[in-house]
Structure formats: C-alpha cells, structure tokens
Amino acid sequence: MRIYDIIAHKRDKAELSDEEIRYFVKGYVKGEIEHYHASALLMAIYLNGMTERETVTLTKEMAESGDMLDLSGIDGITVDKHSTGGVGDKTTLIVAPIVASLGLKTAKMSGRGLGHTGGTIDKLEAIKGFCTSLSPEAFTENVKKHGICVVGQSGDLAPADKMLYALRDSTATVGSMPLIASSIMSKKLAAGAQCIVLDVKTGSGAFMKTPEEAEELSRKMVDIGNSAGRRVAAVISDMDTPLGKNIGNSLEVIEAVEVLKGKGSEDLREVCLVLAGNIIALAEGVTAEEGCKKAEAQLESGAAFEKFKEFIASQGGSLEQIENPELFPKAEFCHRIIARESGYIERMNAEMIGSSSVILGAGRAKKDDSIDFAAGIILNKKTCDRVEKGDLLATLYTNNKKSIESAERLFLDAIKISSNKKEPSPLIYKVIR
Ligand code: URA
C-alpha cells in the first residue's frame, strides 16, 4: 500500500477502505508518513468528505492509537460529557457534581482553552491547590471513592488526534465535519465512559455557526458512539451569546458555585439541567424530563454542592475559596463599560466577547502563554435586555492595564443596540439520541 495512492483515491472522490485508513493513521503516528502527505490527505477529506463507514473507521483507529482507559473496575455506570467549546461555558463544574451526587461515576478528561473558548482545566486550576494531573491509577481510584474526577488529557490518549489536530490547525482543515466528529469522538472513546452526553454549541461563538450544521455534526458523533457500543446523546445548545454572566477562569468558578447554591444565571442553570437530565436518562433509562427533575432536586437539596466540595477537596483544591469566593485573587484593574445609547441589545457576538476576555488575559494568544486567572468579564446586560444610555453593560477585569482599551473596543464592536426588541433565540435547539 502507498500513501500516494490513498491521497489519489480521496482526491478522486473514492471511498477509502478500512485498510487504507488504518495504514494512514498507524503510519502517521509512527512517523512513517510525512506531514506533507498527511496534509494532502486531510485537504482531500476536507474537500470531498467521508462516508459514515469511513468516519467510524477513522475514529476507532484514532481512539486506539494510544491508551484506552479501562474503567471496568469501577462499580456503577460511568458517564462523561463534552462541550464543543464556547464562551462562559462552565457547565462541567455544575453538571458533573449533579450526576455524581446521584451515584453516577463521572470520569472526565477535559481540555484547556482554545482560541476564544475557555477550557475546564484552566477554570479548575484557578482554584488554589487543585491538581489536574493524576496518574491513570489515581484517576480511577478517585472515581471509585468520590464518584467524580476531572483531569487534563494525558499525552497518551488518542495521540493520533493530537498530531492530526495540530496539522489541521496549520493547514486550514479544522472545519471539516468528519474530521471534527472523529477528533472529538476518538478522545471520548479512549476515555472509556459508557454514557456520553455531547453539548454541541451553535451560533457566533461556536464552531458550528448554524443549528443545521450542529445537527449534522451531532448525528455523526452519536452514530460513531453507538457503533462503538456507547450510549450517546447530543444536546444542541445556543452559543450565539455567552452562557451565564461571568467569563474568565476564577469568575466562572464563582458563577458555577452560585448555581450549585441554587442561585446564579437562569440560562446557565437551564443548560446544566438539560445536560444532567440527558446523562441521567442515558444511564438510568428514564426520560430526559424525569432526568431533569432529578437533577433539579439535587441542586435544590444542596446535594450537588456538597459533592462539588468533596470533588474539589479530593483533588487538593481550597475549600476555603469555594466557601468564600472573595478569597479568589482579585484583578488589579477593573473597568466599567457604559452604554452610549438607549435601546435593546440585538446581538452580543460571543466569539468577539470571548476574544475580548483573551486580550484581558483570561485565555492564551499562543499555546504556551500563561493565564491570568483573575482576568475576565462580568456581563451586566445580555441579548434582548433593555438598556438606557449610561447603564452599566459589563465590567472588565485584568492585571494588564494596557489591554483594557483594545478589549473594550472589541467588546463594544460585539454588541449591537437597536430600537426593536428581538425575540430570544432558543437556549436548547434539539436533543439527538
Ligand atoms: N474539538 C476537538 O476536540 N476537535 C475538533 O476537531 C474540534 C473541536
């Protein structure tokens, strides 16, 4: 077999055989296939797509390219969730303790922020002492003992995805439906959970700009998971506007704690309940509505917050900070953004607002940049809200004074105020099972 012929097949719109896909993934991970050959094949896939069988085979090969976590020693049903990425998306911090407080075993490998989107690992590291890097043995032990553990992705999990993602990032081939689906699902299959809920975001701050694209991606990922014997649901949720009101690592932990205490933003609480409800539905065979009610009861009774504290303490995090959010380090500078006109907020571009928070220091411009955990934005107004000239729109927080001017400019460009009140877009578009 020759990589040249495989590229030519895909270029000519032929369906690749399982052997050809296997030859490519194995060869690339071993360093036997050159980057330029792999780039050419990725571009041919980007342009000509993949059939369902090709996508399933590619995903399985990528999943099996490194360690496959074996969670079979854990008593009970193992569950996982994954978000395709958004702004203000702190749902894992709320959903994981809700379902763990019901006895489901939450074994989760999370990522760091990417571009304008935040990552759970960065948020957890904003908590003093919290350790996101555990050995596979310690990870499994924590899940057994506390019902919940969240760590960063280990280097040996789906290494083919790590290599191919970096190549896609530099060859303009990220935005391909089969490549995104196989990238996400290879990591989820390797991480081992029996039940997986995918939060597929749509809108200005998401990879999938329209609900139709989000639905196509969701169906592909659910099919891949099912064909590997996992129970999978995809919740298509809005990311046209940031989720909740806090953006930035410490600020997001603080907002997650508010929701766990039965308060907090209504939109964030609702998305979390739907995600938790669907995990419970997959695991326990109840309807998603029944799952949602169970999840709500865990928030109301305080059981989810107790489980959250147990989880934070089990990974070395400071409970003092969780009990007293004012103990999170404060940013040196805070800057209020004031409305310059009256009207209704017609749009808040989530990608631009996420990028504004990155400028303030809440994310990384380059892979190895450090994060300012105190940096971020608190939104005072959101899409569809009435605003009077002089009202507070948002407050920016940073330790880098020089960043404020450009962050404010980008924030103001992201917002459109008009005289007509817009109908709110749905928070949840659809659930695919
Ligand atoms: N997230 C991933 O893990 N992979 C992609 O290709 C896109 C988003």
Side-chain angles (χ1 to χ4, degrees):
M1 203 172 288
R2 291 192 319 153
I3 185 67
Y4 181 95
D5 299 324
I6 300 174
I7 297 167
H9 285 165
K10 195 31 89 182
R11 179 200 61 199
D12 298 339
K13 301 191 171 66
E15 193 179 358
L16 300 180
S17 68
D18 290 348
E19 290 69 34
E20 285 176 312
I21 294 171
R22 208 164 289 138
Y23 177 87
F24 163 62
V25 175
K26 283 198 172 21
Y28 189 54
V29 171
K30 279 195 202 150
E32 290 166 3
I33 288 176
E34 301 291 347
H35 297 308
Y36 55 81
H37 279 137
S39 307
L41 182 58
L42 290 175
M43 186 54 84
I45 293 172
Y46 181 94
L47 294 173
N48 295 331
M50 280 187 134
T51 62
E52 197 181 315
R53 183 198 50 77
E54 287 177 301
T55 312
V56 168
T57 304
L58 177 64
T59 309
K60 286 187 178 157
E61 282 305 315
M62 284 165 62
E64 289 166 11
S65 65
D67 293 343
M68 298 283 284
L69 277 190
D70 178 11
L71 304 180
S72 59
I74 296 171
D75 273 344
I77 301 170
T78 48
V79 301
D80 193 357
K81 90 165 252 298
H82 180 88
S83 158
T84 55
V87 179
D89 179 4
K90 64 285 282 178
T91 53
T92 293
L93 303 182
I94 301 162
V95 173
I98 291 178
V99 299
S101 70
L102 282 164
L104 302 180
K105 306 294 182 186
T106 312
K108 180 147 174 50
M109 300 235 167
S110 286
R112 297 191 181 276
L114 191 69
H116 66 281
T117 66
T120 302
I121 291 302
D122 293 330
K123 297 177 217 282
L124 287 169
E125 287 182 354
I127 303 168
K128 196 170 138 206
F130 193 95
C131 175
T132 58
S133 158
L134 299 181
S135 66
E137 295 73 32
F139 175 70
T140 315
E141 265 322 296
N142 261 30
V143 179
K144 279 186 188 162
K145 195 158 166 206
H146 304 286
I148 179 170
C149 191
V150 182
V151 294
Q153 211 120 35
S154 95
D156 294 330
L157 204 91
D161 174 60
K162 207 169 179 178
M163 293 173 67
L164 288 172
Y165 193 89
L167 195 60
R168 286 164 59 208
D169 210 17
S170 53
T171 55
T173 50
V174 168
S176 145
M177 205 72 83
L179 293 179
I180 294 175
S182 55
S183 163
I184 292 174
M185 289 309 290
S186 63
K187 288 174 283 209
K188 293 291 107 184
L189 297 186
Q194 294 160 287
C195 302
I196 303 162
V197 166
L198 305 162
D199 181 7
V200 181
K201 304 286 190 193
T202 180
S204 63
F207 272 116
M208 300 295 122
K209 299 295 178 203
T210 66
E212 292 73 28
E213 286 173 321
E215 182 166 346
E216 194 185 335
L217 178 65
S218 299
R219 290 195 187 281
K220 277 197 193 326
M221 295 197 291
V222 170
D223 287 346
I224 293 170
N226 289 341
S227 74
R230 313 292 172 90
R231 287 174 249 169
V232 187
V235 174
I236 301 174
S237 71
D238 181 69
M239 187 38 70
D240 211 37
T241 297
L243 187 59
K245 62 183 176 50
N246 292 15
I247 302 156
N249 299 288
S250 302
L251 295 173
E252 293 194 37
V253 175
I254 293 168
E255 190 178 21
V257 168
E258 283 170 16
V259 172
L260 285 163
K261 284 179 162 172
K263 295 176 275 182
S265 309
E266 204 36 57
D267 60 343
L268 173 61
R269 179 183 156 91
E270 190 181 329
V271 172
C272 288
L273 289 176
V274 172
L275 291 170
N278 276 280
I279 295 177
I280 297 163
L282 287 183
E284 297 184 354
V286 297
T287 65
E289 290 68 31
E290 286 164 338
C292 234
K293 286 208 179 80
K294 283 187 164 201
E296 199 164 12
Q298 297 309 96
L299 278 185
E300 301 301 319
S301 69
F305 186 44
E306 285 309 310
K307 182 54 81 176
F308 179 74
K309 288 192 282 186
E310 180 186 339
F311 152 57
I312 297 300
S314 74
Q315 292 187 231
S318 160
L319 280 188
E320 225 191 330
Q321 265 184 343
I322 299 301
E323 302 276 14
N324 308 285
E326 63 282 1
L327 295 179
F328 277 95
K330 300 256 178 318
E332 194 179 345
F333 305 101
C334 85
H335 176 81
R336 292 155 61 85
I337 302 186
I338 303 298
R340 295 166 187 192
E341 58 190 314
S342 299
Y344 294 93
I345 300 198
E346 189 183 314
R347 76 159 160 78
M348 281 188 115
N349 183 298
E351 178 169 359
M352 290 163 83
I353 292 176
S355 298
S356 170
S357 76
V358 172
I359 292 173
L360 293 167
R364 300 175 185 82
K366 294 195 289 326
K367 196 165 103 355
D368 297 322
D369 285 353
S370 61
I371 290 232
D372 174 359
F373 290 124
I377 303 174
I378 296 188
L379 303 172
N380 216 48
K381 299 281 181 188
K382 295 200 46 181
T383 311
C384 302
D385 283 353
R386 174 77 199 167
V387 172
E388 302 302 333
K389 187 175 172 183
D391 278 355
L392 178 65
L393 288 176
T395 308
L396 309 183
Y397 296 88
T398 184
N399 286 304
N400 174 8
K401 195 171 181 195
K402 285 200 220 118
S403 67
I404 293 175
E405 197 185 325
S406 48
E408 177 175 30
R409 203 173 321 116
L410 190 54
F411 185 93
L412 287 170
D413 284 348
I415 289 187
K416 182 166 178 211
I417 297 180
S418 72
S419 52
N420 297 322
K421 187 170 182 347
K422 189 189 151 215
E423 278 303 305
S425 41
L427 202 50
I428 305 291
Y429 284 88
K430 217 174 203 176
V431 179
I432 312 279
R433 279 181 69 172

